[in-house]
Amino acid sequence: MTMSDPLGDMLTRIRNGQHAHKRVVLSPASRLRGNVLDVLKREGYIRGYTEMESSRARNARDLSIELKYYEGEPVIREIKRVSKPGRRVYTRISELPRVHNGLGIAILSTPRGVMSDLEARVANVGGEVLCHVF
């Protein structure tokens, strides 16, 4: 069965894993998911991730995502999908959102790749708002 929103699935796995205080969660691998995880790692929301062989199918890859906690509490308090398959949300550089007054980040898919809202402001590009993280 095909998945209609693979990125939303990964964000939900991260949200559920942190709620259950898991150290590592698994998600099927894709290039977009890897790029979003790169941004989360650069911004300090996860410890890291590794790509590995899947135990569920041949020629399939999984991402092992190491979650991050501070004093027993999850570093990611809120992770929310913005642009969905049924409703895409695009923004210009002048209208980039500020998440929780700059304390959180928005992850964007731009012509220059997947980046955080701060990186997009520096690069002066807009794009599709994938999710908000706080």
Side-chain angles (χ1 to χ4, degrees):
M1 187 171 155
T2 61
M3 194 179 310
S4 64
D5 189 13
L7 182 59
D9 174 66
M10 182 186 74
L11 298 178
T12 299
R13 288 174 191 237
I14 291 172
R15 189 180 314 115
N16 290 344
Q18 289 207 313
H19 184 70
H21 293 283
K22 298 281 185 182
R23 196 176 75 74
V24 174
V25 293
L26 294 176
S27 176
S30 73
R31 189 180 308 157
L32 177 64
R33 290 178 186 193
N35 291 339
V36 169
L37 289 173
D38 284 336
V39 173
L40 289 175
K41 184 174 178 0
R42 266 195 317 265
E43 297 292 330
Y45 287 103
I46 62 172
R47 288 197 186 282
Y49 73 97
T50 57
E51 191 170 331
M52 57 188 219
E53 290 292 324
S54 175
S55 60
R56 59 184 162 72
R58 272 184 33 190
N59 297 330
R61 310 283 293 164
D62 277 342
L63 295 170
S64 174
I65 306 164
E66 294 180 59
L67 303 177
K68 192 172 182 181
Y69 298 91
Y70 179 73
E71 295 181 355
E73 292 297 315
V75 171
I76 299 175
R77 294 183 184 186
E78 180 182 306
I79 187 163
K80 184 172 67 172
R81 183 84 156 107
V82 175
S83 187
K84 300 176 182 177
R87 181 174 181 262
R88 300 292 183 185
V89 178
Y90 298 94
T91 184
R92 298 183 174 126
I93 184 68
S94 60
E95 299 166 358
L96 274 177
R98 291 210 184 271
V99 180
H100 289 277
N101 204 20
L103 296 176
I105 64 166
I107 299 178
L108 286 84
S109 176
T110 69
R112 295 189 186 168
V114 177
M115 57 182 66
S116 69
D117 58 343
L118 179 65
E119 295 167 334
R121 283 185 181 88
V122 170
N124 199 28
V125 293
E128 180 182 358
V129 182
L130 298 176
C131 61
H132 288 164
V133 183
F134 173 67

